[in-house]
Amino acid sequence: MFHLYILGAFFASVLGFFLLYALRDKERKDNRHRHHRADGLVTSSSEIGQCRQDDGFGTDIIIVGAGVAGSALAHTLGKDGRRVHVIERDLTEPDRIVGELLQPGGYLKLIELGLEDCVEEIDAQRVLGYALFKDGKNTRLSYPLEKFHSDVAGRSFHNGRFIQRMREKAASLSNVSMEQGTVTSLLEENGTIKGVQYKTKAGQELKAYAPLTIVCDGCFSNLRRSLCNPKVDVPSCFVGLVLENCQLPFANHGHVILADPSPILFYPISSTEVRCLVDVPGQKLPSIANGEMANHLKTRVAPQLPPQLYDAFISAIDQGKIRTMPNRSMPADPYPTPGALLMGDAFNMRHPLTGGGMTVALSDIVVLRDLLKPLSNLNDAVSLSKYLESFYTLRKPVASTINTLAGALYKVFCASPDQARKEMREACFDYLSLGDVYSTGPVALLSGLNPRPLSLVVHFFAVAIYGVGRLLLPFPSLKRMWIGARLISGASSIIFPIIKAEGVRQMFFPVTVPAYYRAPPAK
């Protein structure tokens, strides 16, 4: 009877998945054919005179933004011989509390792009896996790196130092021009983006033209509405601290505390500093100015930490350097637009719990580089746009796996008064603690080493079924069976909406998407 129940629950889940595929959102398909422009962000080039291909530099590609995505893309395309003009709002070293952990899958992409030396000379720390803590118990989850060169691992660092290294490397190429300025609008003519209008550091209004404009202006992008249908969700905020001269319980590991109400992260960002990120659900935070935040951290958060971290955590609060950052999630939902493309956080975001953002961005750059390589002429904007629609499908294995896992894990790791959700959280911790494939499988997905969405779904429902099995052993009862049924239902309600937003067809059946087979435009 027990086995029949488990099998029934499993097949019910699979049936629900395929029903979801059959009923996938048609609106997404319609959106791909709409031509939307946000007020104030697009200017018709006919209003500012005759459009020309370049602005004296002979530009092939304009890149808006020089963060992780923009800098890496500029170097990559410049190395391929493209004439690149990068316009970045502020070229001084950024100071952020996120974008500090690069997963091993992202490091492999750095190597592929020839940028691996950008994590050198910035006191970056090797990361070999995660340590998970819950109710006084802990388990260590190592990255499955046995098949790779000994240098391959995760890296954690100061985000600004990493970005400056990539900016320097991009700017060292003679065909890459990097300029400080604020892009105020995209220039459009007959439905095609011809370039950008921007304000220089000195306040001068200028226009720049190129056959292709790539917008990489980050999570706060003011241009994305011109090129996609942004559905930004802010499920929580991170409260950031830096712990100095603090020894983590497990060296060279990220630490995740399954606290109440939501997770707390620790990872090294230099040889003497540890980043702490406290997740606070919702968008309303205790005030830093009047001391409410410090009190919250000391009375609510600190008691849930491992003893080794308590004193350093309190000391960091007393130093008063508390910072906050909203955590955004936004599925990729682009409007294929001749002459323009979105990338990075301007295009696609996921909860930063799993540190997958830079891995997705670097993977996207590899895909785009390979698509553009056979093209010597970018001037046929309509044909180029049609060809680059395949980018949105080819990026899916890596992007959708990391995005879905980030959203699902965050919901599972948050505390809940619901008994079924509590059981799911406990089952997830115990499943990962089993070792072997039960830990290496999910960690390979999280780290970007195994970009297989189907493997993610299998592990996710394996956790749910494992939780049901624990409820029904040694003797099932009606109450436990009911909780088990709600556990399966709850797991489905967590993962299926995320998969739907990512695109079922693109995730699991990419070869059925026509753009998958699209050939480069004729030279």
Side-chain angles (χ1 to χ4, degrees), residues 95-171:
D95 183 15
R96 304 179 66 206
I97 66 171
V98 292
E100 298 171 318
L101 177 62
L102 180 66
Q103 297 289 0
Y107 183 73
L108 287 172
K109 297 300 178 183
L110 268 191
I111 294 173
E112 196 170 344
L113 296 170
L115 290 166
E116 66 273 21
D117 57 343
C118 291
V119 296
E120 298 172 2
E121 301 176 8
I122 60 171
D123 200 15
Q125 304 298 298
R126 284 170 58 85
V127 179
L128 304 176
Y130 282 88
L132 205 57
F133 292 76
K134 183 180 183 297
D135 299 333
K137 301 179 292 183
N138 66 74
T139 186
R140 184 164 59 174
L141 312 171
S142 297
Y143 294 134
L145 301 172
E146 298 80 10
K147 298 179 181 178
F148 300 98
H149 186 273
S150 60
D151 188 49
V152 176
R155 294 291 193 281
S156 52
F157 38 67
H158 282 269
N159 171 268
R161 296 175 187 174
F162 179 55
I163 288 176
Q164 289 301 88
R165 287 279 287 164
M166 288 204 292
R167 286 175 177 174
E168 290 165 8
K169 186 140 185 176

Side-chain angles (χ1 to χ4, degrees), residues 189-368:
E189 183 179 86
N190 300 324
T192 298
I193 302 301
K194 297 292 187 177
V196 300
Q197 181 166 323
Y198 68 104
K199 184 179 290 187
T200 67
K201 186 179 179 181
Q204 186 180 6
E205 290 277 358
L206 296 177
K207 292 114 184 161
Y209 301 90
L212 180 61
T213 298
I214 303 177
V215 176
C216 306
D217 57 344
C219 61
F220 299 106
S221 173
N222 67 335
L223 301 175
R224 67 160 65 100
R225 287 188 179 276
S226 308
L227 304 172
C228 77
N229 180 26
K231 298 173 184 174
V232 180
D233 180 35
V234 184
S236 65
C237 296
F238 268 154
V239 178
L241 298 164
V242 174
L243 282 57
E244 297 178 349
N245 300 308
C246 167
Q247 294 298 317
L248 290 166
F250 296 92
N252 300 109
H253 282 68
H255 291 57
V256 183
I257 320 298
L258 301 190
D260 183 3
S262 54
I264 306 165
L265 306 181
F266 293 89
Y267 50 86
I269 55 173
S270 75
S271 53
T272 60
E273 298 165 299
V274 169
R275 168 66 69 198
C276 170
L277 295 173
V278 179
D279 185 84
V280 178
Q283 300 179 39
K284 187 175 181 180
L285 291 170
S287 170
I288 295 176
N290 66 13
E292 286 180 6
M293 178 65 78
N295 183 62
H296 170 79
L297 295 174
K298 286 182 176 180
T299 60
R300 184 79 189 273
V301 177
Q304 301 186 67
L305 302 182
Q308 304 97 310
L309 300 174
Y310 183 87
D311 290 342
F313 183 77
I314 296 297
S315 177
I317 297 169
D318 289 339
Q319 288 178 24
K321 297 178 181 178
I322 303 171
R323 301 177 59 190
T324 63
M325 176 77 178
N327 293 325
R328 292 173 169 80
S329 177
M330 186 185 79
D333 193 7
Y335 304 135
T337 305
L341 196 71
L342 270 172
M343 291 197 74
D345 282 350
F347 172 52
N348 183 204
M349 295 180 282
R350 76 291 310 148
H351 195 285
L353 171 69
T354 58
M358 290 188 289
T359 299
V360 172
L362 294 170
S363 175
D364 284 354
I365 291 169
V366 171
V367 172
L368 183 62

